[in-house]
Amino acid sequence: MTIVDILFYAIFISQIFLISYHYPKKTYERNLYVLRKYPAEAYPKLYRHSKFADPGKAVHRTIRRYLYANITIAVLGLGLLTAMAASDYAPRDIKENEQIMFILLFFMVQTLPYMLLEISTHNWLKNMRNLAKNSTRKADLSPRKLFDFVPPLYLGAAILAFVIWAIYYLYNKGFTSPWDWQTYSTIVFMTSINIVFISLGYKFLRGKKLDPHQSYKDQRQLIKTTLRVFVFASILMSVQLVVFDAINQNGWDMYEPIAMSIYFQVVIIFGVGQILRMFKIEDIDFDVYKEDAWLV
Amino acid sequence: MEIQIDIDDKIPLFTQVMEQIKHAVSDGALVAGDPLPSIRQLASDLEINNKTVAKAYRLLERDNIIQTKGYRGTFVHPTAIENCTADLNAWVTTELTKAITAFRNADVTDSEIRIAFTDVMNRYETKGT
């Protein structure tokens, strides 16, 4: 085994640990903390919309399943690594596309529980909004402007990263068209993803609260966290594509699976990790979920 | 600082928004120079039409409670606290009462007054809504 092979195994183990154990465990503990400290009896507005007789237990079941699903995927990942080691798999020997597909597919499996939890949270908030509808409506008179939540430097960095990627990519392809379909589709993909980030960011910034009872202070903190996640995701995407282009141009294919695994881990650290760091559960105002709570 | 409206209330929504902002100024919760949310943001948060908030802002600007500074946004007017006590609608009611009392004293009928009022309203251009 070469140093590259050992590095690949080490980084892939890190991917399994971070994405399928570390962050799911933190998410589980966070939700458990809420269930224990803010039960349905004292904070009915947090649970009232649930269709279950004991909403606390139902939520606990959901997050437990989320944790077990992640642990199962982690065990599967370790099993795959063991099989690879036993069959003397070496990244340097395998054709380029097979390596990438393996890492990419495994990452997609790892993100499945995250997506399902996100869908569950979305439905939870939607039911909360439907139940909270009444003729009285409230709004904060403080304006919400983009630079209140994201420093101009971060936005500038995201734009610069995109421009650098575009220039480097087209330089390698030749600046004059016609290009092949892959070039067009890459440009369309990158542009579309950034448009999606901008659209979602605008919706978070100027749209109404997803949680109808959330305090204005918490709403602003969530907006700040979410917008920064989008900006970092955009920067990371641009950087990742430049790295992969450089790898392809210089014939460093054996490093591609390592680079891809590192990229996915960084995405999670600056995505889920950022949300857990910036939107701490201990700082959230849960008094708004009491029966007689008024927004402050 | 929070405002609250009731969509089931008989009072028009734009009036509720105006009154809430005026109260915030007169109570000192908003002071001269304080920024206000954009029309779109406030309309989205209150789940009402943009035009309703736009109308409220237009009338507040007319009454020198707020001032719009283009792309920089909307702010509380420097003399908002004094202007809060001025009530245009009350002045209109007072003047109309005087005029109608004078017409009735001259034995002008109510239908004649109404016809003349409508004729004058239609003849002269109106500035706003």
Side-chain angles (χ1 to χ4, degrees):
Chain A
M1 242 188 213
T2 66
I3 203 87
V4 173
D5 302 333
I6 295 169
L7 196 60
F8 168 74
Y9 280 104
I11 286 171
F12 195 63
I13 288 172
S14 166
Q15 178 181 330
I16 294 168
F17 170 77
L18 204 67
I19 301 174
S20 294
Y21 181 74
H22 177 70
Y23 283 122
K25 186 163 168 281
K26 279 197 172 291
T27 305
Y28 173 78
E29 285 166 356
R30 185 181 162 105
N31 281 280
L32 204 60
Y33 173 88
V34 172
L35 289 175
R36 287 186 178 150
K37 196 160 182 204
Y38 306 104
E41 306 78 46
Y43 299 87
K45 287 184 183 177
L46 189 54
Y47 304 90
R48 180 173 291 150
H49 55 281
S50 172
K51 59 185 178 187
F52 296 101
D54 191 339
K57 270 192 181 162
V59 171
H60 195 192
R61 242 190 339 264
T62 303
I63 58 170
R64 222 175 25 235
R65 278 184 204 147
Y66 165 79
L67 183 67
Y68 292 160
N70 277 290
I71 291 172
T72 304
I73 292 167
V75 168
L76 177 73
L78 289 172
L80 276 168
L81 268 181
T82 309
M84 282 157 65
S87 62
D88 203 25
Y89 171 91
R92 63 182 183 296
D93 295 331
I94 308 297
K95 290 192 189 61
E96 175 195 327
N97 287 336
E98 289 173 13
Q99 296 166 338
I100 299 298
M101 286 312 294
F102 163 67
I103 303 286
L104 180 62
L105 279 170
F106 187 72
F107 177 70
M108 285 167 70
V109 170
Q110 283 185 296
T111 58
L112 269 175
Y114 288 81
M115 287 195 285
L116 290 172
L117 189 68
E118 194 59 37
I119 290 169
S120 177
T121 306
H122 171 79
N123 290 336
W124 182 272
L125 291 172
K126 188 179 170 188
N127 290 339
M128 214 185 232
R129 286 197 299 276
N130 286 339
L131 200 66
K133 274 184 182 166
N134 56 43
S135 63
T136 304
R137 289 165 193 184
K138 299 171 187 173
D140 186 15
L141 277 182
S142 305
R144 296 195 294 273
K145 295 193 172 174
L146 180 61
F147 293 146
D148 294 342
F149 302 98
V150 180
L153 189 66
Y154 288 13
L155 271 178
I159 294 168
L160 186 65
F162 181 81
V163 168
I164 288 172
W165 163 76
I167 291 171
Y168 183 69
Y169 184 67
L170 291 176
Y171 170 75
N172 289 327
K173 295 286 179 185
F175 280 109
T176 51
S177 59
W179 299 305
D180 57 19
W181 73 268
Q182 196 181 1
T183 307
Y184 286 114
S185 61
T186 304
I187 294 168
V188 166
F189 172 76
M190 276 295 278
T191 309
S192 303
I193 285 285
N194 280 292
I195 289 172
V196 166
F197 283 147
I198 291 167
S199 307
L200 287 175
Y202 183 83
K203 200 175 169 192
F204 260 95
L205 182 65
R206 295 291 168 88
K208 59 181 191 239
K209 287 182 282 185
L210 295 178
D211 177 351
H213 306 293
Q214 187 178 48
S215 72
Y216 298 124
K217 177 181 139 290
D218 290 335
Q219 181 192 15
R220 295 183 78 89
Q221 185 61 18
L222 185 62
I223 291 171
K224 182 179 174 182
T225 305
T226 307
L227 289 182
R228 288 181 186 209
V229 165
F230 288 155
V231 167
F232 289 143
S234 175
I235 293 171
L236 284 171
M237 255 182 27
S238 301
V239 167
Q240 176 233 357
L241 287 180
V242 167
V243 166
F244 275 102
D245 259 350
I247 285 173
N248 286 331
Q249 290 299 317
N250 292 286
W252 298 331
D253 294 342
M254 72 174 90
Y255 298 109
E256 206 159 7
I258 295 170
M260 182 161 266
S261 182
I262 290 173
Y263 167 69
F264 290 141
Q265 291 177 63
V266 172
V267 161
I268 291 294
I269 289 169
F270 280 95
V272 173
Q274 173 111 313
I275 291 169
L276 293 175
R277 277 192 304 276
M278 284 185 69
F279 200 53
K280 287 188 176 14
I281 207 78
E282 299 81 12
D283 297 336
I284 295 173
D285 180 7
F286 279 90
D287 285 346
V288 297
Y289 302 112
K290 288 182 177 172
E291 187 63 63
D292 55 354
W294 289 93
L295 278 174
V296 292
Chain B
M1 175 62 212
E2 177 188 86
I3 65 167
Q4 182 176 307
I5 61 166
D6 184 349
I7 58 166
D8 287 342
D9 202 316
K10 279 184 282 190
I11 300 171
L13 293 176
F14 77 89
T15 307
Q16 292 185 54
V17 172
M18 281 178 71
E19 291 305 315
Q20 291 271 305
I21 292 174
K22 278 184 180 177
H23 278 136
V25 172
S26 58
D27 290 346
L30 285 174
V31 296
D34 276 353
L36 287 169
S38 67
I39 290 171
R40 199 169 290 195
Q41 179 191 318
L42 191 56
S44 173
D45 289 349
L46 291 172
E47 295 178 71
I48 57 178
N49 197 295
N50 284 350
K51 288 180 182 174
T52 305
V53 177
K55 185 173 177 177
Y57 272 29
R58 196 165 55 246
L59 293 173
L60 285 168
E61 200 167 5
R62 177 201 66 183
D63 296 347
N64 289 326
I65 307 293
I66 64 173
Q67 58 180 179
T68 305
K69 293 182 182 177
Y71 69 90
R72 278 177 288 170
T74 306
F75 300 85
V76 176
H77 197 277
T79 59
I81 189 86
E82 293 95 38
N83 300 331
C84 267
T85 53
D87 187 346
L88 267 180
N89 290 328
W91 175 71
V92 168
T93 306
T94 307
E95 294 301 312
L96 273 177
T97 305
K98 280 188 215 168
I100 290 167
T101 307
F103 296 146
R104 281 180 176 161
N105 288 341
D107 291 329
V108 178
T109 63
D110 282 357
S111 67
E112 283 173 333
I113 296 170
R114 283 195 197 95
I115 291 167
F117 183 82
T118 308
D119 185 45
V120 169
M121 287 287 290
N122 289 338
R123 202 186 309 156
Y124 293 101
E125 257 183 50
T126 50
K127 265 199 290 186
T129 53

